[in-house]
Amino acid sequence: MPELPDPTASAAVLIGTSAYRHLPQLPAVENNTEDLADALQDPTVWGLPQARCRVVPNPVTQAELLEPVYELGRQSKDTFLVYYCGHGLRDSDSADLYLALHGSREGAGYTATEYRHLRSALRASPARRKIVILDCCFSGRATRTLGATGDLAAQAVVDGAYVLTASPRDHAALAPDGERHTAFTGELLKLLVEGVADAPDTLDLETLYRELDARLRSKNRPSPQRSQVNDIGRLPLVRNRARVPRTTAAGPVIDIEVQAALLASGLQLARLLRSVGRNRDALPILRMILQARVPEAEGESVAVHLELAELLTETGQDREAIETLEAAFRQTHKRFGPEALTVCRRLAELLQQAGNHRQACDVLRHALDSMDEDVTPPEGSR
């Protein structure tokens, strides 16, 4: 089987704007980003670590949209994938593509994020391969920046980049009423989850593009567009789920109770390895058991997050430690207990050390508010 991109040296940022103040709502976008994150993290598809697959829901400002791209882009050495789904806009005085934010308005490009800023963020990444997937109206305008001819392309080219878009440059994308996903992303997810029957063991971007084009055309839906540099579309990206024998499960089929037991055993093993100085062996174990994401073992999962964050801090990987604690913070956000307080305290310490004082204060404020709620007596009691 051809070698796939190294998931530990790759990353993905999935941006989705589903809620708007001045534009029509797009409820399917939230499903798009959540399901795409699940697919990319599935070890039978690609196996991206959770900390390297960031979902950015409903960015309000340009900074909220771009900062995760810069952050994870800097960490990517192999493959860096950026996905945007939402309204694509045209400015009244420009032919450029603008990515809508929560408060964007039609015909007012200054209220959105110009695509060239996203392109600049991609340029800043050292990744050898960069992939942009745009599921929005007029997204075909972005492909011109990666064309092989023309002065504009020469000025805007991104080495090692591949752009895949949901529609031609002057056409609308489609979000069918009543469907869980938008037309383009729905077909893309089917390809990732189900695979392609007559394709090799791995799927490259060109194969995905051709299949998308054929399937969308057969349903009379907008045709996707693509542009690439250095023929990187021929490099394998994900496993082909359709090549798994019918008698073999595409992924691990294990009872929840067994999964929870494996998670606890993995945590004990990692702690044992750390106790004898084998941190390098403990690190992949902790990362692997976090990907199991067993709903009935949330408390144990938080303990794994804390263990992994401590190990990452000890080895100088502070940025990933913060991301790991942020994931635990989101997990404990709706319930409070001793482990949640530990997560908040440790996350605030790392954020403060990194100079993110405002975020550290927000985390501590959440911890205090949660403590107040936890000790508030029931209504009617004294």
Side-chain angles (χ1 to χ4, degrees), residues 335-338 341 366-382:
R335 61 183 182 86
F336 192 78
L341 183 59
H366 166 72
L368 291 171
D369 291 344
S370 299
M371 290 177 64
D372 289 341
E373 294 172 3
D374 195 52
V375 300
T376 300
E379 186 177 353
S381 65
R382 293 182 181 270

Side-chain angles (χ1 to χ4, degrees), residues 212-227:
L212 279 169
D213 185 50
R215 296 185 184 197
L216 289 166
R217 284 179 183 272
S218 69
K219 297 179 180 180
N220 198 29
R221 293 182 168 180
S223 299
Q225 306 292 303
R226 61 82 163 83
S227 184

Side-chain angles (χ1 to χ4, degrees), residues 16 76 133 193 242 302 355:
S76 304
I133 301 177
V193 174
V302 172

Side-chain angles (χ1 to χ4, degrees), residues 49-71:
Q50 186 178 21
R52 290 184 168 272
C53 189
R54 179 84 58 83
V55 174
V56 183
N58 297 311
V60 175
T61 66
Q62 180 170 282
E64 287 183 21
L65 188 151
L66 293 175
E67 282 180 357
V69 180
Y70 277 104
E71 180 183 342

Side-chain angles (χ1 to χ4, degrees), residues 21-37:
R21 288 206 306 262
H22 309 292
L23 299 171
Q25 308 305 302
L26 296 173
V29 171
E30 184 176 355
N31 298 329
N32 284 1
T33 52
E34 290 179 357
D35 293 349
L36 188 55

